[in-house]
Every structure is written in C-alpha cells, then in structure tokens.
Amino acid sequence: MNQLRQATYFYRPHPRDDRAERQRIKEIAATRIRYGAERIHVLSRREGWVINHKKTYRIYCDEGQNLRRKRPRRHVAAAHREERPIASGLNECWSMDFVADQLFNGQKIRALTVVDNFSRESLAITVDYALKAADVVATMRHLQALRGTPRRIRVDNGSEFISQMLDQWAYEQGVTLDFSRPGKPTDNAFIESFNGSLRDECLNVHWFLSLDDAREKIEDWRVDYNEFRPHSSLDDLTPSEFRLAHIKAGNL
C-alpha cells in the first residue's frame, strides 16, 4: 500500500491573488458589451497583463459576462453557393449594404456600410434619413479619392445598387458589380458580419438624439472598429494594423 508523505497532510494551498485581473476583465466587458472571452483576452494581453486564455475564460464566466444570445445556424444549403474568388489584396473586393435604425423619437435613418473584404476595414458608413443611388455614387467617389478604385464590389439586388447611376459609375471606372443571388445573404458574408457587429456594438447600445448625433457616434464606433478592435481572422490585429503591415511588406 502506498503511503502519502507527511508534508502532504499539512500542505496549505496558496492561491494567486487575481483581483486586479478580474477587475480589469469586468471593466473591459462592461465597456465592450458584445466582446467575448477571446477578444477580451487579446485586449488584456495587449495592455500587458500576464494571463493565459484559460484563466481569462474562467474569470469571464465566473463574473457572468458570457454572452447568452445564440445566433441561428446557417442552413447547410448555403455551402453550395457559387464560389467566388477570395480577396488577396487591398481594393481587390469591397462589399456594401444598408442598415436601418431610428432616432430616439422614432424617425427612421439609414446607413450605407462599405468594407474592404481583404483587410476587413470599414471604409465608410454614410448616415442619413434616406439614401438613394446618388448617395451611393457620392460615397464611392469619396472613397475612390481616399483609397483608390476597387476591382469588384459585392452588393445585393437593392434598388440603389441596380440603378443606372451606379452602373454607369462602375462601367466608367472599370469596376465589376458582383450581385448576390436573391434571398442569399451568405453570398455577401463579410458585410453581413460587419453589419451584425455594427448593430450589436453601436446601434443597439446608443440613443441617437439627432441625425448629427447618430453620425458622430457611428463614426466614433467605425474608427474604434478599425483602430482598436482586434479581429480574430486577422491574427488578432486590428484592420488598420493589418492594412499597414500589408503595405509595409510591399504589397500594395
């Protein structure tokens, strides 16, 4: 029969004091209410905290911060959609779509969102009471002056995107408009994912007192998304960091 060492009987555990880490995780979760444990762990390590991902997750769950809302699963039929080339460089493929919301008094507003599919960077969010084809073209021209001309833009079949005005701009600039199949939002998955983050992290957590207030708060969130929010598909870099690293490597 094996005998235990005498020291075993008198051992006293010495748990590490993790109150500081716990407090910081709670603070991040309180201000970034739609961030999960993995993203909070990245932010904690970025600030210099020495903590592994398992401990971050344990504290995250202990404090009741885990997200409870479940997202519906995609149907398996979505996997059979037509294959599209994956963007391998900046400006190779953009995506754009509309998001609807309202001011505190119920007045409706719309936002045109534009994303670079390669860097995941939010290029623009144009906000107004109503947005027409002319506003879409104006946004494209503005981005063209700032970022250059994309090769391809993925859009749905909304009236603003199938308009002659946008079609003419795209033809003159040599841009291909890549339309999603009707009823298939997964054909434009990047902008769908981005719009979900915009709604969860901005639209659903703010009251907009006026159109100018909405524009200011949404633009602040866009800058935060690009320059602060780590992106798991970019090895936890921010979109801006990923774009600058790509340019620095000589890949324009």
Side-chain angles (χ1 to χ4, degrees), residues 233-248:
S233 66
L234 304 177
D235 292 331
D236 292 324
L237 295 175
T238 68
S240 293
E241 289 172 338
F242 182 81
R243 175 175 60 86
L244 293 175
H246 186 73
I247 294 175
K248 187 176 180 180

Side-chain angles (χ1 to χ4, degrees), residues 3 24 37 75 224 232 240:
Q3 294 183 349
R24 184 55 187 149
H75 294 293
D224 184 85
S232 57
S240 293

Side-chain angles (χ1 to χ4, degrees), residues 139-150:
T139 299
M140 291 298 100
R141 287 174 176 163
H142 175 69
L143 288 178
Q144 191 177 16
L146 292 177
R147 295 298 184 91
T149 306

Side-chain angles (χ1 to χ4, degrees), residues 18 22 37 53-64:
D18 61 3
R22 188 176 294 269
H53 68 280
K54 291 185 289 186
K55 185 173 183 179
T56 301
Y57 181 74
R58 176 175 58 78
I59 294 175
Y60 179 80
C61 293
D62 287 347
E63 296 297 329

Side-chain angles (χ1 to χ4, degrees), residues 2-14:
N2 295 328
Q3 294 183 349
L4 297 177
R5 296 177 58 187
Q6 185 177 5
T8 305
Y9 292 103
F10 300 97
Y11 173 76
R12 293 182 180 180
H14 301 282

Side-chain angles (χ1 to χ4, degrees), residues 17-144:
D17 186 357
D18 61 3
R19 287 177 294 180
E21 295 99 320
R22 188 176 294 269
Q23 179 62 30
R24 184 55 187 149
I25 288 173
K26 290 173 61 177
E27 290 172 354
I28 295 175
T31 57
R32 310 278 172 173
I33 61 174
R34 295 305 303 174
Y35 280 18
E38 292 184 8
R39 187 165 282 130
I40 290 178
H41 176 70
V42 172
L43 296 180
S44 300
R45 294 298 297 267
R46 184 188 291 177
E47 293 178 1
W49 294 97
V50 180
I51 184 172
N52 64 44
H53 68 280
K54 291 185 289 186
K55 185 173 183 179
T56 301
Y57 181 74
R58 176 175 58 78
I59 294 175
Y60 179 80
C61 293
D62 287 347
E63 296 297 329
Q65 302 295 338
N66 43 316
L67 303 177
R68 298 181 181 274
R69 194 184 74 174
K70 294 183 179 179
R71 297 182 182 274
R73 291 185 178 182
R74 300 293 186 186
H75 294 293
V76 294
H80 302 293
R81 65 184 182 272
E82 297 176 3
E83 292 295 331
R84 285 180 166 87
I86 298 176
S88 58
L90 300 171
N91 291 343
E92 187 171 318
C93 182
W94 294 357
S95 292
M96 61 180 174
D97 197 6
F98 288 102
V99 178
D101 204 67
Q102 61 184 20
L103 303 180
F104 79 102
N105 59 4
Q107 188 168 10
K108 294 181 180 180
I109 59 175
R110 295 184 83 194
L112 171 67
T113 57
V114 187
V115 172
D116 186 300
N117 290 2
F118 177 70
S119 67
R120 309 297 199 272
E121 192 170 16
S122 172
L123 302 179
I125 304 179
T126 302
V127 183
D128 212 326
Y129 293 120
L131 293 170
K132 300 180 180 179
D135 300 302
V136 176
V137 173
T139 299
M140 291 298 100
R141 287 174 176 163
H142 175 69
L143 288 178
Q144 191 177 16

Side-chain angles (χ1 to χ4, degrees), residues 141-161:
R141 287 174 176 163
H142 175 69
L143 288 178
Q144 191 177 16
L146 292 177
R147 295 298 184 91
T149 306
R151 297 181 186 177
R152 189 170 74 257
I153 303 178
R154 292 183 182 175
V155 294
D156 61 23
N157 292 273
S159 59
E160 299 85 359
F161 298 142

